[in-house]
């Protein structure tokens, strides 16, 4: 403090300097260059709590610093890393000076929905990735930028998602909502024209969400309470390649005939359910997980249909049937022709 006073008396420090910059900034200037974890920090525009290495001039590293607030973000910063702190809220205006932000990483904090301003992210027109997983959120933050391509909201306490939560987000390709308290999601995904990955594992869903985007390729619904798959489900979403429905309450009655017999499907996980039969799947399917069900019969027609010859065989490479009510002796000899591509079969 004596040093600061002395500098002011000597006229070395211009009093107007503190008017142009925040307190943290001018104090940072007085302290000069700093070192942390082997990186040399920039001398200009970097808050004391963070590191702005000269080797990555557009990045600001503030992770695992026991922070309770979001520090000032300089205008030239594009990537800000704030994970692993104790931040509980974000006030409107925090990012207004840094409208060029592309990544905002805030996972593993203590963010509360009622402490996040309504327009915190609205001015970030270039934002590409927003990571808000592992917090205390009870709802999706409002007014999210339409530029976002990856949004992570997993491991929160979200129980409802209003229909307009993702309105206009036509660029969103990956949405993660796993480990929340969702029971019914409605048609909230309908306008997400670019969405290819949807992760809703570990929720309380009783059915597969309606109005999924047509371009969806990966759908993860493990650890829910889903009892059935709608008839014609994969006809409505023909680009789906990976479907995971493990740890649900599926029964044979809940699977319409041929519901999974679609050529685009590459991986299907139905493990840890209540199935008694092997469902009919496409010959192009490569990975099928059926372990821990109640299957009593090995039905070769489920993989290759009733017509089997040297040119008509399954592309299946991985098949798991362990922890069911069948054994290796239940597999017919002609399975060697039908499942000739299989590299691993576990019963």
């Amino acid at each position: 403090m004596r040093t600061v006073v002395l500098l002011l008396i000597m006229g070395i420090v211009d009093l107007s300097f503190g008017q142009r910059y925040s307190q943290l900034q001018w104090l940072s200037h007085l302290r000069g260059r700093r070192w942390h974890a082997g990186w040399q920090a920039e001398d200009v525009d970097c808050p004391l709590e963070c590191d702005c290495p000269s080797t990555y001039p557009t990045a600001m590293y503030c992770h695992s610093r026991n922070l309770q607030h979001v520090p000032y973000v300089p205008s030239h910063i594009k990537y800000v890393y704030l994970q692993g702190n104790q931040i509980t809220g974000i006030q409107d205006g925090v990012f207004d000076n840094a409208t060029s932000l592309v990544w905002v990483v805030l996972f593993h904090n203590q963010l509360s929905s009622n402490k996040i301003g309504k327009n915190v992210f609205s001015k970030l027109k270039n934002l590409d990735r927003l990571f808000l997983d592992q917090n205390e959120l009870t709802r999706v933050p409002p007014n999210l930028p339409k530029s976002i391509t990856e949004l992570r909201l997993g491991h929160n306490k979200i129980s409802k998602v209003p229909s307009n939560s993702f309105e206009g987000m036509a660029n969103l390709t990956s949405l993660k909502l796993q480990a929340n308290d969702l029971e019914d999601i409605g048609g909230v995904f309908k306008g997400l024209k670019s969405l290819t990955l949807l992760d809703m594992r570990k929720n309380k869903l009783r059915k597969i969400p309606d109005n999924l985007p047509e371009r969806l390729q990966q759908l993860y619904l493990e650890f829910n309470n889903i009892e059935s798959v709608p008839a014609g489900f994969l006809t409505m979403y023909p680009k789906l390649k990976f479907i995971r429905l493990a740890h649900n309450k599926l029964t044979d009655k809940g699977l319409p005939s041929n519901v999974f017999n679609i050529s685009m499907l590459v991986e299907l996980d139905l493990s840890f359910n209540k199935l008694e039969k092997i469902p009919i799947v496409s010959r192009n399917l490569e990975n099928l997980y059926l372990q821990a069900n109640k299957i009593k019969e090995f039905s070769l027609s489920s993989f290759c249909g009733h017509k089997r010859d040297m040119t008509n065989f399954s592309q299946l490479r991985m098949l798991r049937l362990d922890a069911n009510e069948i054994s290796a002796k239940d597999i017919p000899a002609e399975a060697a022709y039908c499942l000739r591509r299989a590299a691993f079969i576990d019963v």
Side-chain angles (χ1 to χ4, degrees):
M1 185 63 185
R2 292 178 180 177
T3 303
V4 175
V5 172
L6 180 60
L7 290 172
L8 290 172
I9 293 174
M10 295 174 63
I12 295 175
V13 178
D14 186 355
L15 288 175
S16 65
F17 184 77
Q19 296 174 359
R20 295 196 304 269
Y21 298 89
S22 70
Q23 291 181 347
L24 287 177
Q25 284 183 283
W26 64 255
L27 186 56
S28 178
H29 277 270
L30 289 178
R31 289 184 60 178
R33 294 183 179 272
R34 296 171 292 114
W35 292 77
H36 181 80
W39 286 345
Q40 186 172 359
E42 287 289 311
D43 191 27
V44 180
D45 276 359
C46 190
L48 289 175
E49 306 98 317
C50 309
D51 290 298
C52 308
S54 58
T55 49
Y56 302 98
T58 59
M60 190 170 101
Y61 297 90
C62 315
H63 55 287
S64 304
R65 310 292 170 95
N66 293 318
L67 299 181
Q68 297 183 2
H69 68 280
V70 176
Y72 165 81
V73 184
S75 59
H76 70 281
I77 294 297
K78 293 184 178 181
Y79 307 91
V80 60
Y81 299 91
L82 292 157
Q83 70 270 27
N85 284 294
Q86 300 175 23
I87 300 170
T88 59
I90 313 174
Q91 295 182 348
D92 282 332
V94 168
F95 298 122
D96 284 5
N97 189 54
T99 54
S100 296
L101 279 170
V102 177
W103 286 23
V104 175
V105 181
L106 276 159
F107 67 81
H108 213 295
N109 274 282
Q110 299 175 18
L111 289 172
S112 174
S113 290
N114 59 8
K115 294 183 180 180
I116 296 180
K118 292 182 178 180
N119 295 298
V120 164
F121 305 108
S122 63
K123 294 183 180 180
L124 305 181
K125 305 301 181 182
N126 298 308
L127 192 63
D128 184 63
R129 298 185 184 184
L130 178 59
F131 298 168
L132 296 170
D133 37 327
Q134 295 177 306
N135 278 283
E136 302 292 325
L137 301 178
T138 54
R139 57 182 180 269
V140 179
N143 300 314
L144 293 175
K146 295 177 174 59
S147 57
I148 295 178
T149 65
E150 183 176 358
L151 178 60
R152 297 186 185 181
L153 291 163
H155 297 273
N156 278 285
K157 298 178 180 179
I158 301 171
S159 58
K160 293 183 179 180
V161 181
S163 59
N164 63 346
S165 296
F166 308 116
E167 188 174 1
M169 298 180 70
N171 295 317
L172 192 64
T173 60
S174 176
L175 176 58
K176 297 187 176 182
L177 284 161
Q178 76 275 20
N180 277 285
D181 296 319
L182 294 166
E183 294 185 15
D184 187 3
I185 201 71
V188 71
F189 307 122
K190 187 175 182 180
L192 303 181
K193 298 179 180 180
S194 300
L195 196 69
T196 58
L197 186 151
L198 176 60
D199 188 347
M200 295 193 68
R201 295 170 292 151
K202 296 184 179 181
N203 276 283
K204 300 176 181 179
L205 298 176
R206 297 179 182 178
K207 65 175 185 176
I208 295 177
D210 299 321
N211 297 311
L212 295 173
E214 293 182 1
R215 294 186 181 181
L216 196 64
Q217 297 180 17
Q218 302 177 59
L219 179 60
Y220 304 142
L221 295 169
E222 305 104 301
F223 293 96
N224 278 286
N225 299 313
I226 298 170
E227 298 181 355
S228 63
V229 177
F233 175 65
L234 285 176
T235 303
M236 293 185 287
Y237 311 108
K239 294 188 177 181
L240 272 172
K241 295 181 178 180
F242 302 88
I243 299 178
R244 295 178 182 172
L245 283 161
H247 293 276
N248 275 282
K249 297 180 180 180
L250 293 172
T251 63
D252 295 335
K253 185 179 179 181
L255 298 184
S257 179
N258 288 308
V259 69
F260 295 122
N261 192 7
I262 297 294
S263 60
M264 290 294 290
L265 202 59
V266 174
E267 180 174 295
L268 177 61
D269 189 352
L270 300 172
S271 59
F272 294 91
N273 278 285
K274 300 178 181 180
L275 303 178
E276 296 183 18
K277 298 178 181 179
I278 299 174
I280 298 173
V281 296
S282 167
R283 291 189 183 92
N284 292 317
L285 188 70
E286 296 183 10
N287 301 308
L288 178 58
Y289 301 94
L290 290 165
Q291 70 269 26
N293 275 279
K294 298 180 179 181
I295 297 172
K296 303 175 182 179
E297 178 185 359
F298 189 97
S299 174
L300 205 55
S301 59
S302 295
F303 310 105
C304 298
H306 295 286
K307 181 182 179 181
R308 295 188 289 273
D309 54 41
M310 296 299 293
T311 61
N312 186 18
F313 55 89
S314 171
Q315 300 294 323
L316 206 62
R317 296 180 180 275
M318 167 74 75
L319 174 60
R320 286 197 58 180
L321 283 162
D322 46 304
N324 277 285
E325 298 179 23
I326 57 175
S327 61
K329 66 180 181 180
D330 297 312
I331 301 177
E334 56 265 34
Y337 296 101
C338 172
L339 301 173
R340 67 184 68 177
R341 291 289 182 88
F344 183 87
I345 298 179
D346 192 355
V347 290

